[in-house]
Amino acid sequence: MFHRPASARTLVAVASALTLSLSLAACGRGAGQATDTPFKSRIDVPTTDTMVDASQYKTDAPWTIGYSDASLSNSARVTIWQFTQWAASEYPQIDKVVRTNADDNPNQQTSDIQDLVSRGVDCLIVSATSTDAVVPAIEAANASGIPVVIQERDVETDKYTVFVNSVTRDIGRLQAEAVAKTLNGKGKVVLLEGLAGSGPAEEARKGHEEVLAKYPGIEVLDTVYSGWDRAVGKSTMEDWLQTYPEIDAVISDSGIQNMGAYEAVEAAGRTDEIKAWTGDSLQAWIRLVNEKKIPGVIVNRPLRFGAIAVDACANLLAGNDVPREWLDPVEALDMNKLADYIAPNTPGSDEYWDWWDLPKAWRQ
């Protein structure tokens, strides 16, 4: 029987709280039941060349999962939290998830990780605010013997247990390849990237640059980080429109900043000039592309890794080996069937991501 915890219905409160405990006992799962229920993984665990020996992490239920979250500063992060809660609710052995919110501050996250370790969590999930600044805290947690699962965002250390992510660089590769094909290998493009220094943005940028380097006829006019901010996307595009008389394509890792960029281009009356746009699966961007018939490619940004990080913790604690690197593939949406990806028009649905992979009750 499926139940939706109250915490999933009160995201405004979640977003403002520093620490949130999700108690699955509220779903009728007490500690006694958790220890008596046979373990069953929510999904099949893939086998890779490098598997983690989980025997050292096996422990009796009930389990407490610590989740050091970077932030809830954008709708993708909120959706990842929804995937996390949903997956946790599928395991009777998980008593609660204790989530901390670093508000994108590495110093705060360092304290958060130390706090979660001191609480004695059974497994620690970390979505890093920085590739390097929180490494000492991650390494200390790992040295304490707690299994550490890095969720999505790259860190400059190998002292963790499992790395879970979608193949973010492939998002950039697929986007850039589509643009190169549309432009027949020649044209002037701008790169409107995400949050500087964050793993997903840096990996997508590397994917963009890796592909574009193969096309000497494509000139990159400028690269700007938007911080995944719609307003910054708009102001940056306004500057570019004044600076460059010709722009053939806008390559962005996400639809967030593209919402503002397209608004600027439309206001300038130059939409026909731009032959290709890229983006990811933010519902508002999918809807705009579908409505305006914006040319280009949308690459799904699957946020299932929010759930997979929980799967990794649960299997490790149950003594089941898991991949050292657990990667979820990405793919471009079929632009001829874009209407199939339009969500029901409910309040807040513009902020959906990867909604088709999340049970209806857990869509914020």
Side-chain angles (χ1 to χ4, degrees):
M1 186 174 186
F2 183 80
H3 299 275
R4 189 184 187 194
S7 56
R9 299 194 298 267
T10 55
L11 285 175
V12 173
V14 171
S16 62
L18 172 64
T19 304
L20 175 71
S21 290
L22 168 66
S23 176
L24 300 182
C27 301
R29 296 173 177 171
Q33 181 183 355
T35 56
D36 295 339
T37 305
F39 178 82
K40 186 178 186 303
S41 181
R42 185 186 67 88
I43 60 174
D44 292 335
V45 177
T47 300
T48 63
D49 291 340
T50 306
M51 300 292 286
V52 175
D53 179 1
S55 60
Q56 62 185 305
Y57 302 117
K58 186 175 182 179
T59 187
D60 291 336
W63 303 323
T64 296
I65 308 299
Y67 179 28
S68 174
D69 198 355
S71 71
L72 290 175
S73 60
N74 61 66
S75 55
R77 296 279 348 139
V78 174
T79 304
I80 293 164
W81 173 225
Q82 294 301 97
F83 271 98
T84 302
Q85 295 177 90
W86 164 52
S89 76
E90 296 288 292
Y91 290 100
Q93 291 82 4
I94 297 178
D95 182 43
K96 58 181 144 181
V97 175
V98 180
R99 176 189 171 275
T100 58
N101 180 2
D103 286 327
D104 294 317
N105 184 326
N107 291 330
Q108 179 61 53
Q109 187 164 45
T110 294
S111 297
D112 291 344
I113 292 171
Q114 293 168 343
D115 178 56
L116 290 168
V117 172
S118 71
R119 294 190 192 194
V121 297
D122 296 296
C123 186
L124 176 65
I125 299 171
V126 178
S127 174
T129 54
S130 167
T131 57
D132 57 355
V134 295
V135 162
I138 291 170
E139 292 182 342
N142 183 72
S144 74
I146 298 172
V148 177
V149 176
I150 303 299
Q151 180 211 76
E152 180 204 17
R153 298 187 169 190
D154 294 339
V155 290
E156 293 180 0
T157 180
D158 61 0
K159 292 181 173 60
Y160 54 79
T161 312
V162 180
F163 178 74
V164 172
N165 199 5
S166 55
V167 190
T168 315
R169 193 172 299 196
D170 281 355
I171 293 177
R173 291 187 183 114
L174 289 169
Q175 291 170 336
E177 285 285 5
V179 168
K181 182 178 179 180
T182 299
L183 299 181
N184 294 316
K186 296 180 181 180
K188 301 179 186 296
V189 306
V190 288
L191 304 186
L192 187 57
E193 303 291 5
L195 178 64
S198 72
E202 297 299 345
E203 283 297 298
R205 179 186 60 79
K206 289 173 184 176
H208 293 153
E209 294 176 347
E210 175 185 312
V211 170
L212 294 177
K214 301 175 184 177
Y215 295 92
I218 294 180
E219 178 186 357
V220 177
L221 299 173
D222 197 6
T223 301
V224 170
Y225 287 94
S226 68
W228 291 312
D229 187 296
R230 178 173 179 165
V232 174
K234 182 177 181 179
S235 62
T236 300
M237 197 70 220
E238 288 172 340
D239 291 342
W240 281 337
L241 291 169
Q242 293 180 11
T243 304
Y244 304 112
E246 180 184 349
I247 300 175
D248 296 302
V250 179
I251 299 179
S252 300
D253 71 327
S254 177
I256 302 175
Q257 61 265 33
N258 268 357
M259 295 296 295
Y262 186 83
E263 186 179 346
V265 172
E266 190 172 46
R270 293 175 62 175
T271 56
D272 290 343
E273 171 191 328
I274 298 178
K275 304 174 182 68
W277 294 75
T278 69
D280 59 6
S281 47
L282 171 67
Q283 182 64 197
W285 179 243
I286 294 176
R287 286 173 170 169
L288 184 65
V289 170
N290 187 62
E291 175 191 349
K292 300 284 189 177
K293 307 303 178 188
I294 299 172
V297 64
I298 293 175
V299 177
N300 183 33
R301 185 184 295 275
L303 304 185
R304 294 182 293 257
F305 55 74
I308 294 172
V310 175
D311 296 322
C313 276
N315 277 277
L316 286 166
L317 296 173
N320 298 332
D321 295 355
V322 300
R324 164 75 169 171
E325 200 173 39
W326 193 335
L327 300 179
D328 197 20
V330 302
E331 60 184 3
L333 303 186
D334 186 340
M335 300 301 287
N336 295 318
K337 298 181 179 179
L338 206 54
D340 293 348
Y341 300 98
I342 303 296
N345 189 15
T346 57
S349 60
D350 261 359
E351 301 301 315
Y352 283 177
W353 298 76
D354 193 22
W355 64 274
W356 45 87
D357 285 324
L358 190 63
K360 182 177 179 180
W362 289 92
R363 298 173 200 159
Q364 67 272 21

